[in-house]
Each structure stands twice: as structure tokens, then as C-alpha cells.
Amino acid sequence: MYTKTIIKIIASIALIILVGDILPWWWFSIITLIIGYISTSSKESIINGFLIGFMSWFIMLIYLFNNATNDQIFSKMSMLLLEKNAPIQLIIYTSLISGIIGLLSSWVGWQFNNREE
């Protein structure tokens, strides 16, 4: 049971990371909506949506932060937004927002699947 869920999560994260440069930033919510639609319970859809949204953005942002030129961008953005030099904190906050968007879109997918007729 958990193996299928882990495979769905890893495949979704890989898909989001691979085509993240091609499509707009918000398209990951469509993937989490689909994951929510095919989930077996509301709890599963909420947890999977958050994990997919959070982990995909966290992995992409950590990868970008580790590049030689992008660490300066993250430092300057954290100075601008957080008023301190804390780029990792900025990455975590951004990933949390993406996780919440993934959670909400996955829950909406779950609601589409369970509508009463």
C-alpha cells in the first residue's frame, strides 16, 4: 500500500522538476490536483499534496542555491524580503508556500472525486 504512494510521490516530484523550466511555476498544482483526485482518502490526498509541493520546490531551490552565481541572488532576496542574510530560511518559506498550494489543490482534487450526485 505504501509502496504505490511512495512511487506516486517520487514520480510526481521528478515530473515537476524535469519540466519546471518549461512550464509556468504554478503548473505543479495541476499535478497535485490529479494526485488528490486519484487518492483513496482525504488524509492521503492532503499529505501527498503537501509533500509533492514542498519537496519539488525545495529540491529545485537548493539546487539553484548551490550554483555559483545564484547564491548571491538568494542572499540579496533574503535581505530584501526577510531583512537579514538568511537564504536557507527564504528557501524554506518559499517551499512551505508551495506545499500549502499543493495541499489545497490536492484537497480540491479529492473533493472533485467525491462529489455527491
Side-chain angles (χ1 to χ4, degrees):
M1 178 175 147
Y2 293 116
T3 308
K4 290 182 181 180
T5 304
I6 292 172
I7 290 172
K8 282 194 295 189
I9 291 172
I10 292 173
S12 300
I13 291 171
L15 179 66
I16 292 169
I17 290 172
L18 288 176
V19 294
D21 290 336
I22 300 167
L23 296 174
W25 68 268
W26 49 264
W27 85 277
F28 75 94
S29 63
I30 297 170
I31 299 295
T32 55
L33 183 113
I34 294 168
I35 292 296
Y37 188 81
I38 62 174
S39 294
T40 57
S41 69
S42 175
K43 182 179 177 182
E44 179 187 353
S45 72
I46 289 172
I47 291 171
N48 291 348
F50 180 81
L51 285 176
I52 291 168
F54 180 85
M55 291 304 295
S56 61
W57 277 86
F58 187 76
I59 292 168
M60 283 192 294
L61 291 174
I62 289 294
Y63 173 75
L64 289 174
F65 177 71
N66 287 329
N67 287 343
T69 57
N70 289 332
D71 61 345
Q72 296 171 358
I73 294 171
F74 282 100
S75 296
K76 289 181 182 180
M77 288 302 294
S78 68
M79 288 295 293
L80 179 68
L81 297 172
L82 303 175
E83 297 179 356
K84 58 183 172 180
N85 190 8
I88 299 298
Q89 190 175 4
L90 178 68
I91 289 171
I92 291 171
Y93 288 161
T94 306
S95 299
L96 282 173
I97 292 170
S98 301
I100 292 169
I101 292 170
L103 178 145
L104 291 173
S105 65
S106 181
W107 181 76
V108 168
W110 169 252
Q111 294 299 319
F112 281 153
N113 190 15
N114 291 325
R115 64 175 183 248
E116 306 242 359
E117 296 182 13

